[in-house]
Structures are given as C-alpha cells and as structure tokens.
Amino acid sequence: MSTHKRLATYPPYRRPSCGEFGILNERVLLLVFEHLKWDLHTICVMASVNRKLRATAKRLLWRELCSIRAPRMLSALMHNEVSARLDDFWRALAKLMFFCCGCESTRNFKVGKVPGHFVEASRFSKTSGQRFLVKRCQGDLLYMSDPCEHSVANHEEDVGVYRGVFKGFMRSRTRACLIRRNVTLEERLFCPYCAARVWSMTRARLVPKSAARQLGSRDGGLEYFVCVNGHLHGSCWLTPLSSDEDHDDSGSA
C-alpha cells in the first residue's frame, strides 16, 4: 500500500499534521522515508538534528518503521493493546528489532564485553519464544530473535546474543510468576532498549532446558533478563561445529 493511501486512512490520533513546510511536514517525511525504504540509520541521524525532528520520530517514524518492516509481528503484539499509542514504546520496539545490544559479564555468565551493533534484518519467531517459557507460562506470547553470533578472544565457542519482546507483559503469566516468587530486580543492570530495571530469569529459575536447545547452546551456558516492560535480552555460548559438520557445511550449495 502506498504512503498516500495509508495517510488517507489514519485515525485522528495518528493523522500527520500539515502545518509545517519542507522536511518538517510529516507527509513529506513519510514520502522521503518510503523512498529510502525506511533506512534505520537515516532515521537516527534525522532524529538527532533538533528537538522537533526527534519528537516527530518518537511520535510517528518509529511506529511506521515497525509497522512496515514487521507487520505480522506488530499486529500480534498490538492486538487490543492500549500501549500501541505510547511514543516511547515505539522507539524501544524499533531499537529491539534492529539493534543487537551485545553483552557484558554477569554473575552467571562470564564473557567480558561484547559490543552492540545495528543489524539490517532479524528474524523473530513466536515458536522460538515458546521455548524460552517454562511450562506454567506457556500461555504467554513471546517473540524471540535468532542469536547474533560474536567471536570472543581466547574462546573456542562463539557468543550468541539474542533478544525478544512479550505481548501484554503486565498481564503475563511470566510476570505473575516472578512476582509470586518474590524475585527482586537487578540492582545494576538495566534494559538496553528502554532503560527499565530487569529480572534475571536465571536467578528466578525460570530458564527451561528447551531454551538451550533452541539456541544451540550447552545446558547452563546461557543467561537472559526480562525488563518490567517485557523486553528480553540475553547471551549464550554457542556449541562449535565438529570437524565433520564443518566439512559437510563447506560442501553444501
């Protein structure tokens, strides 16, 4: 669907204003970014120019980026959710979709520092997300990314960095389980996507064995955190391929 047709169907709270001229006109901005195929780096640069453009990105552009680049995932996450109108929600979700946050050593995962970076595209799956939920929380909807592989000096295993997002986390079984178990929030760790405080799922003993199998990691070689807004991030040691598997892969088309 073209940008012109989308603008014609916006509800009142989403309708872009036309009182500005040039690049400050929101209709012009939408047309420009459609021509640029919603390039993430360009949006980031534009949002850093001044306060007005930063506010426009928060209110409009991050939302449009998410809806165009991941429409089915967004439709599932936003179904009957009031939070779809919150500006900070969209900025955090866009960052989660297109930014690998890297990782640092924690009490349960010693790795050193792995820097974060932007990614052009990521695959998120609700089927993968089910493998990160213990049995009593299987009714929750969690979208998980594939692990982003990073080499670490002096280690044979690569580090996999992954991220995810819950639908309706405030009403989720996972949050209820954390509250019921009286798990305290981490003191020095914060969500890399919204800066909220986080729970350690390892410390809460809510990491199922199926998570390691999904990631291709050895059992116990992973850790992940969930923030109060339902964003998940974590890291794991990825089991290296054997020499036979390397040989087979090198000969494939």
Side-chain angles (χ1 to χ4, degrees):
M1 182 181 290
S2 68
T3 301
H4 177 74
K5 291 181 180 179
R6 284 202 306 275
L7 290 174
T9 59
Y10 278 164
Y13 76 88
R14 290 191 57 184
R15 190 171 298 139
S17 65
C18 302
E20 302 288 353
F21 297 94
I23 198 65
L24 293 178
N25 185 299
E26 293 176 4
R27 291 179 182 269
V28 172
L29 276 176
L30 289 172
L31 290 170
V32 167
F33 281 107
E34 182 178 272
H35 178 72
L36 295 173
K37 300 188 185 301
W38 292 94
D39 180 72
L40 180 68
H41 298 276
T42 306
I43 298 178
C44 291
V45 171
M46 190 219 69
S48 67
V49 171
N50 58 43
R51 185 179 301 175
K52 192 158 192 173
L53 287 173
R54 184 163 54 251
T56 301
K58 284 180 61 178
R59 179 170 45 80
L60 178 66
L61 297 181
W62 295 127
R63 180 175 60 215
E64 289 300 304
L65 172 68
C66 293
S67 63
I68 289 171
R69 297 286 291 271
R72 296 201 319 186
M73 172 179 162
L74 192 66
S75 177
L77 289 174
M78 293 299 98
H79 184 63
N80 294 329
E81 291 294 320
V82 177
S83 60
R85 301 187 183 186
L86 300 180
D87 296 341
D88 287 338
F89 171 89
W90 295 108
R91 180 174 58 178
L93 182 60
K95 186 176 180 181
L96 186 141
M97 285 183 178
F98 302 106
F99 184 73
C100 167
C101 63
C103 65
E104 297 184 7
S105 292
T106 64
R107 70 166 67 90
N108 298 307
F109 192 83
K110 306 301 180 183
V111 66
K113 183 174 178 60
V114 175
H117 61 94
F118 284 106
V119 295
E120 290 300 323
S122 294
R123 188 183 76 91
F124 285 80
S125 167
K126 61 183 178 182
T127 302
S128 298
Q130 288 297 300
R131 302 208 168 70
F132 286 78
L133 301 172
V134 294
K135 188 174 182 179
R136 66 179 64 89
C137 299
Q138 285 292 311
D140 292 344
L141 176 59
L142 170 64
Y143 273 89
M144 287 295 303
S145 74
D146 291 333
C148 183
E149 299 184 19
H150 297 262
S151 298
V152 179
N154 302 319
H155 282 275
E156 293 184 1
E157 298 172 304
D158 288 343
V159 169
V161 180
Y162 48 94
R163 58 205 190 277
V165 57
F166 280 86
K167 170 184 168 61
F169 184 69
M170 291 297 291
R171 302 184 302 276
S172 69
R173 298 180 183 183
T174 299
R175 181 180 181 274
C177 194
L178 287 163
I179 299 298
R180 187 166 56 250
R181 293 189 177 193
N182 198 28
V183 181
T184 57
L185 293 162
E186 296 293 298
E187 294 183 359
R188 300 179 182 179
L189 293 176
F190 299 90
C191 176
Y193 299 106
C194 67
R197 298 185 69 183
V198 301
W199 285 285
S200 167
M201 301 299 278
T202 304
R203 191 152 64 94
R205 297 182 180 179
L206 290 175
V207 179
K209 292 183 179 180
S210 56
R213 292 194 295 270
Q214 175 65 31
L215 293 166
S217 175
R218 52 184 167 83
D219 189 26
L222 62 89
E223 181 169 40
Y224 54 90
F225 303 88
V226 175
C227 80
V228 296
N229 293 320
H231 305 131
L232 182 152
H233 73 282
S235 49
C236 66
W237 291 112
L238 297 174
T239 303
L241 294 173
S242 68
S243 57
D244 290 340
E245 289 172 318
D246 287 332
H247 179 73
D248 291 343
D249 286 346
S250 64
S252 60

